[in-house]
Amino acid sequence: MKKAGIPNFSTDLSGRVALVTGATSGLGERFAHVLAACGASVAAVGRRAEKLADLAQGIRDAGGVCEPITMDVSDRTQIRDGLQRIQSLLGTVDILINNAGIVDARHATKIDDELFDRVMNTNLEGPWFLACGVAERLMQEKKPGRIVNISSIAAFNTQAGMPQALYVTTKGAIVRMTEAMAVEWAKFNINVNAIAPGTFRSEMVDGMLERVGDISQYFPRQRICEPEEMDSTLLFLVSPSSACVTGTCIKIDDGQLGR
Ligand SMILES: NC(=O)c1ccc[n+]([C@@H]2O[C@H](COP(=O)([O-])OP(=O)(O)OC[C@H]3O[C@@H](n4cnc5c(N)ncnc54)[C@H](OP(=O)(O)O)[C@@H]3O)[C@@H](O)[C@H]2O)c1
């Protein structure tokens, strides 16, 4: 058996190609910066082209490699075209961060067909087709890979008064999708894991705070986490030291919610 050095942890992502969805703001923007700073070539995905261009420039100015890829993850054709484009620009994606997501912010019975499809397609269908597209290519090339799906602590804990039933449904499904894909793809050395964040500072959370007021007063530590407080978990899940970790979901919620 090959012996690993001590500590068996490296954040060197040189030679890796990372696709990060939802990179125009919040957690995804941070993920893109962190992965690029560790040496990965990053395909930064979102719909707002101007924000992607700014992000790519910031990463390049810091010495990293980043290609802005305008893509609506709720559109299968755009996913397939985007994956082709990334392949030709950066090579085979071996790190996928399925991060793009939206909230419903409406009670279940008030959700019309358009909102239902938008939330399902963005939060569940998009991650599904991206994961399959990335995994298929890795299998063809017999390369290992890492997929990290961003779920939510809401997948495990939902509260009366918060209109989020559809969001919770999609985020719960992401956890199960993670487990099922991990089992199916283990033999191909593709690890699939999820992160379930609590409340972290982002555009989404700023919008929620505007709607429902300051919820941090109800948290034991009375604070909202910052995106950089997720760096180490992200890096762990894409690094060699988590080789045997697959099909799991790591909750990062600062103890905000009960268990
Ligand atoms: N922040 C938290 O406290 C928290 C907690 C639990 C889970 N999460 C999850 O973490 C992920 C990131 O959320 P965030 O808080 O960072 O929110 P955010 O700041 O609102 O970012 C959401 C990102 O998703 C992208 N996006 C939305 N719809 C898209 C689409 N159809 N196609 C492509 N990109 C799309 C947005 O980019 P464009 O608008 O440019 O397309 C944006 O970059 C989400 O999946 C969210 O559910 C966040």
Side-chain angles (χ1 to χ4, degrees):
M1 204 209 308
K2 217 166 69 182
K3 285 250 163 78
I6 296 175
N8 177 24
F9 187 74
S10 162
T11 55
D12 183 2
L13 301 178
S14 315
R16 311 278 296 275
V17 177
L19 192 177
V20 181
T21 68
T24 55
S25 64
L27 304 180
E29 186 177 355
R30 177 73 190 177
F31 294 154
H33 277 292
V34 168
L35 295 170
C38 290
S41 299
V42 172
V45 164
R47 292 166 302 179
R48 288 170 290 178
E50 208 169 294
K51 281 192 169 267
L52 288 177
D54 289 348
L55 169 71
Q57 197 53 54
I59 287 176
R60 289 170 186 157
D61 289 347
V65 176
C66 182
E67 291 291 344
I69 307 290
T70 311
M71 182 201 294
D72 183 335
V73 301
S74 68
D75 181 326
R76 293 180 202 177
T77 306
Q78 288 194 35
I79 288 179
R80 290 180 182 124
D81 292 349
L83 285 174
Q84 288 281 3
R85 196 167 138 67
I86 295 165
Q87 179 74 34
S88 60
L89 287 168
L90 297 173
T92 302
V93 172
D94 60 358
I95 295 175
L96 167 65
I97 314 296
N98 259 327
N99 165 76
I102 54 173
V103 290
D104 43 5
R106 255 184 252 172
H107 290 288
T109 55
K110 305 291 180 206
I111 293 174
D112 59 22
D113 289 357
E114 188 277 327
L115 181 60
F116 182 86
D117 288 345
R118 193 150 44 90
V119 174
M120 289 293 281
N121 295 348
T122 307
N123 293 7
L124 186 56
E125 193 178 295
W128 171 278
F129 283 102
L130 277 158
C132 289
V134 166
E136 200 176 12
R137 171 69 72 159
L138 288 169
M139 289 170 199
Q140 280 163 4
E141 297 185 13
K142 297 190 170 29
K143 285 186 176 164
R146 299 297 177 95
I147 297 176
V148 180
N149 299 315
I150 306 302
S151 174
S152 168
I153 200 72
F156 304 94
N157 186 310
T158 186
Q159 293 148 321
M162 285 285 276
Q164 56 175 8
L166 182 57
Y167 178 76
V168 166
T169 302
T170 60
K171 293 300 183 180
I174 283 290
V175 175
R176 203 67 188 115
M177 180 184 95
T178 299
E179 292 168 340
M181 287 179 171
V183 170
E184 192 165 310
W185 297 343
K187 65 181 173 196
F188 301 106
N189 286 318
I190 300 169
N191 288 22
V192 190
N193 290 293
I195 294 175
T199 305
F200 280 70
R201 190 78 54 197
S202 73
E203 280 183 13
M204 179 187 280
V205 163
D206 289 347
M208 182 183 75
L209 296 180
E210 257 170 48
R211 287 192 305 277
V212 303
D214 178 18
I215 52 171
S216 68
Q217 58 184 309
Y218 306 114
F219 299 155
R221 295 177 181 167
Q222 302 198 327
R223 67 184 184 192
I224 288 173
C225 299
E226 298 297 330
E228 56 267 31
E229 292 175 297
M230 219 178 294
D231 294 354
S232 57
T233 309
L234 176 80
L235 290 173
F236 167 65
L237 290 176
V238 300
S239 73
S241 53
S242 62
C244 296
V245 180
T246 193
T248 199
C249 177
I250 301 180
K251 296 174 183 175
I252 315 178
D253 83 332
D254 206 32
Q256 290 164 356
L257 298 179
R259 290 289 188 272

